[in-house]
Amino acid sequence: MSFALLTDPARPAVEPETGGPAPDRVLSGAPVFTTWNEYESADGKRFAGVWRSTPGSWRIVYDEWEYCEILEGSSAISHADGRRWLVGPGDRFTLEPGFDGVWEVLETTTKRYVVILP
């Protein structure tokens, strides 16, 4: 059994990784992701940390389970069936395997996340 302390999102304790969505998934803009992965399980199937994205939109297809808490900024998440949610600071939600849609960052968005891979 282990314990992992997640730090203040304004001052993450780990070096960030940068990237973005796969080029074939980008729908608008040129979003840049910055990720501070603060926890990874020994089996490589569970992660927790802080993620930030600049504005843009891209197609998302989840095969993992993810819990998100928006810390700053605003985004719109749309399901392929047409439902759409606006999320901002304080909003918490989960995305489950099979979720298919679009993530649109309207204003640079920072979230705390917990991911569980299948």
Side-chain angles (χ1 to χ4, degrees):
M1 188 173 207
S2 66
F3 174 84
L5 180 64
L6 303 179
T7 61
D8 178 347
R11 293 184 303 280
V14 296
E15 289 298 313
E17 298 176 21
T18 58
D24 63 334
R25 291 187 180 254
V26 175
L27 301 173
S28 69
V32 174
F33 300 165
T34 305
T35 304
W36 294 267
N37 197 55
E38 298 179 297
Y39 169 79
E40 180 176 348
S41 63
D43 63 4
K45 291 189 172 192
R46 293 176 298 280
F47 303 89
V50 175
W51 172 92
R52 178 176 293 139
S53 178
T54 60
S57 66
W58 59 95
R59 184 162 179 259
I60 54 175
V61 179
Y62 273 68
D63 58 1
E64 69 272 21
W65 179 93
E66 182 176 7
Y67 166 84
C68 302
E69 179 179 357
I70 303 298
L71 303 172
E72 61 186 17
S74 63
S75 288
I77 301 168
S78 303
H79 191 275
D81 69 8
R83 290 178 291 164
R84 185 172 190 254
W85 300 270
L86 294 175
V87 295
D91 289 331
R92 296 173 299 279
F93 55 94
T94 59
L95 293 163
E96 295 192 2
F99 188 95
D100 183 355
V102 172
W103 189 301
E104 180 182 8
V105 173
L106 305 169
E107 175 185 287
T108 296
T109 297
T110 303
K111 70 177 181 180
R112 178 157 311 274
Y113 65 86
V114 176
V115 171
I116 301 173
L117 299 176

